Amino acid sequence: MPDQSKLRVQQVDRFMRLIRRQDETWQGDVVGLPFFDDDPASGEPRREYSAIWVNASTQVAALSTTVGTGPGGWSDALKAFLDLGLKSRKERDGRPARIEVRDGALGAFIKESIGDPELEVAIVPDVPLVREEASALVRGAIEGSIPPSAMEAPGVNLDRMRAFAEAARDFYLRGLAEELTDQDLIQVEAPDAPHGLKCCVVRPDGETLNVDFYATRDEFEEDEEDEEEEEEEDDDHHHAGREEDEEDDDEEEEDDEKVDGDDDEDEEEVDAEDDEVLTGEDGIEWTLTFGAAPDLPPFDVALWLDRDLPVAGPAAYPSIVGWMGPAHYDRPDGGQLAFLEGLLRALGATTEAEIDSGRWTRKVLTAEGEVTYRLSLASIVGDGDATGPEATAEREEQERVGGCLSRILAEGGFSDLDEAAESLRAAVKAGRFEAPPATTPLERAQELAYRAHGAPGRRQLQLVRDALRLSPDCADAYLTLAERQREPERGLPLFNQATEAVERILGSEELKRRKGHFWDSPQTRTYLRARFGAAAALRALDRVPDAIAEYRRLIELDTDDHAGAGYYLLAVLLETGRDQEAVELLDEYEDDGPEWAYGHVLWMFRNRPVSAAHEALKEALASHPVVALLLSEPEDADPDDGEQTDPLRGLASEDDEIEEALDCLTLFRRAWELTPGAVEWLRAELDRRHRSRRGRSGRRGHRVH
C-alpha cells in the first residue's frame, strides 16, 4: 500500500466500514482546469488541476484542487474519493461497487490504496459526470458570462476541431499580419460563405492577433467610419469643460449634481456601447483570436491542452467566438468550422505574388472534402468586382490626387494643418495643383512614394516597392516601409536605409552645410524623420546608449528641435536613471512645455528635498495642470469600480492643451512610475491642494437673509 499519513490510514479504515452498494457507480478523473499561476522557482506558468469524483446515483460530487502536479498526482484523487464517501453520508451511506475512470492507473491506485480487491474498475472513454462538474467549477470561479466550449456547437467533434487547429496553426505561422494592414479587407468570392464570414481583416492587438469577420464589405467600411466618429466624439468629450470656475458653495453643489448626472449618462452610454459591441452592431460578426492560454475562453484551454491539439506557439492558441448580443456568445457549428478551416488553409498557403494580384484561387482539403476558395483584396481590386481598365484608371486618379496633396504637405514645411490647408486652397485657386512632370528615375520614384501616402493597405506597399525598383535612392519609400513595420527589429534597417539614401543624394558636404537647419527642406526633413524612427526603434530594442546618441544627433541637426527630440531624450534619461545628464539637458534648454515642467518636477523629487519638489510642482500646475491629473491616474484604472476614472472630465481646457498633456503623459508616465513613491507623492499633493481649496471656499460664515 502506498505511503500515507496516519490521518489517511484512519480515513481509509472508516471508508471501508461503509456498506458496499452493489448498484452504485462512481466516476472519477483528475481534470486540468483553465487556471494558471506562476511557479515560484522557475516563474513558468503552472496549471491548476482538480481531482473530481461523482456518485452516479445521487449526483453528489467531491473534489480536491491542486496546482502543478498534473494527472499523475493521484493523492488528491484519493482524498476526493474518500471525502465523497465520508462527507456525504447524510445523502446515502455506502461505498461503490464500481468506479469508472479514463486512466487505468488512477483506478488501480484507488483500488490498491483502499485495499478493496472486490472493487470493480472500469476504464471508459469518457466520464461525462466529471466533465459537467468541472464545467460548473470553472463557471463558478469566473465572474460574468463566458463563451461555451467550442465542442458544444452542433456538428462539432474532435476530428473537426483538430483539422481547424491545424489550419489555424499554419495560418498563424504564415505571418500575414506582417504583410497586410487593418485596411486590407479579404473577401471570399467563392464558395458561398456562411453568414458573417464573407469578409475578414487581420488585426494585431498588443500581445494577441485578431481576425475580425464581417458579413459584407459595406459593414466593414461602416465600422471604419464609426471608429473615426467615435474618436471625434471622444475628443469632444475630453475637450468639453465648464467655462467658468465655481464662485460659491451653491454653484459648486450645482456643478457636483451636474457632474453626477453626467456620470449616470456616461454610464448609460458605456453600457450602450458595450451592447453594440456584443450585438455585432459595429459590424464584426465573429472574431478569431490567437493568444496565450490564459487569454482564451476557459473551456478552450482545456480542449487544446487535454486533447493535444496543434498550436503555433505558447502565444498563438486560437479561439473563434461570435457576438450574438449582451453576454451572449456563439461558437461555429460543424459547417462553419469546416468553412473557416478551408479559409485558413487557403490563406496559409497564399503567396505574396497572389496577394499583389488582388484576386487569387486556392484549392484545399477540408473536413467536408475538397473546396476551391476564390479570394480578393479590397485595397487592390477596388469596389465590387471591378478590375478592368476603367477601375484601374479611377484608382490611379485617386492616387494621383492623393500624391499631389502629399507633395504639398511634404514640401511646404508648414507649422500646422491650418497653414497647410490655406496653402492648398491657394495652390488650387492659382492652378498650381499639378507638379511639373517627373523626368529622372528618382523623380518618378518620388511621385510613386507620394501616391503611396494616401493609398490603403497592401496597395501602399506595392507603390513603395515600385518606387524602390525605379530608384534605390528614394528615401521616402524606405521611410514608408519602415513605418509599416510592427517589430522594431524589422523597421530599424529600413530607417537606416532611408538616411543612407538622403546621404547619397545630398552628399556629406551639403549635409554639413545644412547642419542645424535640417527642418528647412523636404529632403532633410525626411532625414530627420528617418533618424527619429531609428531612435525610437533602438529605444524599443533596449539599445539605450544608441537611442540617446540618435536623439542628441537630431538636436544637432535641427537646433530649433521642431520634432521634439529633446523631450524624448529627457524621458529616456529619466527612465534610465541618468539624472546628471538629465539636469544638464534641463539647464541647456529654455522651454515652457509640459514635458520640461514635469521632467523638472520629477528630477527635483529624486534629487532635492521634498519642499523643493513641491515648489517645482506648484509652478508646473500653474501652467500645465492637466498633466498632473493624468499622471496621478492609475494606468490600469478599472472603469467599472464605481470611481471617476476620467481625469479630463469637467476641465475648461483648450484642445491644444489637452493634446499636449496627453503627449506628455505618453512620454513621461514610465519615468514617473519607475521612480519609487513619485506617483503616490503627486497624488497626495493634488489631494492636499483639493482639500485646501474646498476648505477655503467653505469658511464664509452664515449668510444673512
Side-chain angles (χ1 to χ4, degrees), residues 317-385:
Y317 287 89
S319 177
I320 176 78
V321 176
W323 311 111
M324 303 297 291
H328 183 73
Y329 311 94
D330 197 12
R331 305 308 295 267
D333 61 27
Q336 292 168 321
L337 198 65
F339 173 85
L340 286 164
E341 174 209 339
L343 176 60
L344 294 175
R345 289 191 190 280
L347 291 173
T350 292
T351 66
E352 280 207 66
E354 287 173 328
I355 293 174
D356 285 332
S357 73
R359 179 173 280 116
W360 67 100
T361 300
R362 278 282 169 177
K363 185 179 291 185
V364 296
L365 188 63
T366 75
E368 294 191 345
E370 193 173 70
V371 183
T372 298
Y373 283 77
R374 187 171 72 249
L375 308 171
S376 64
L377 205 61
S379 59
I380 293 179
V381 301
D383 294 330
D385 294 326

Side-chain angles (χ1 to χ4, degrees), residues 90 166 191 215 220 270 306 311 356-357 548 620 656 701:
K90 291 183 180 179
E166 291 172 353
F220 165 73
V270 170
D306 291 345
V311 64
D356 285 332
S357 73
I548 289 174
D656 290 345

Side-chain angles (χ1 to χ4, degrees), residues 380-410:
I380 293 179
V381 301
D383 294 330
D385 294 326
T387 56
E390 291 183 4
T392 300
E394 181 181 353
R395 184 192 67 195
E396 289 183 351
E397 175 62 17
Q398 292 173 346
E399 291 172 357
R400 185 190 65 78
V401 173
C404 290
L405 293 172
S406 297
R407 176 186 289 277
I408 290 172
L409 291 172

Side-chain angles (χ1 to χ4, degrees), residues 175-197:
L176 277 180
E178 295 299 327
E179 298 172 21
L180 302 177
T181 73
D182 57 7
Q183 294 178 310
D184 290 312
L185 186 71
I186 301 167
Q187 303 172 112
V188 182
E189 298 180 354
D192 290 337
H195 177 74
L197 295 171

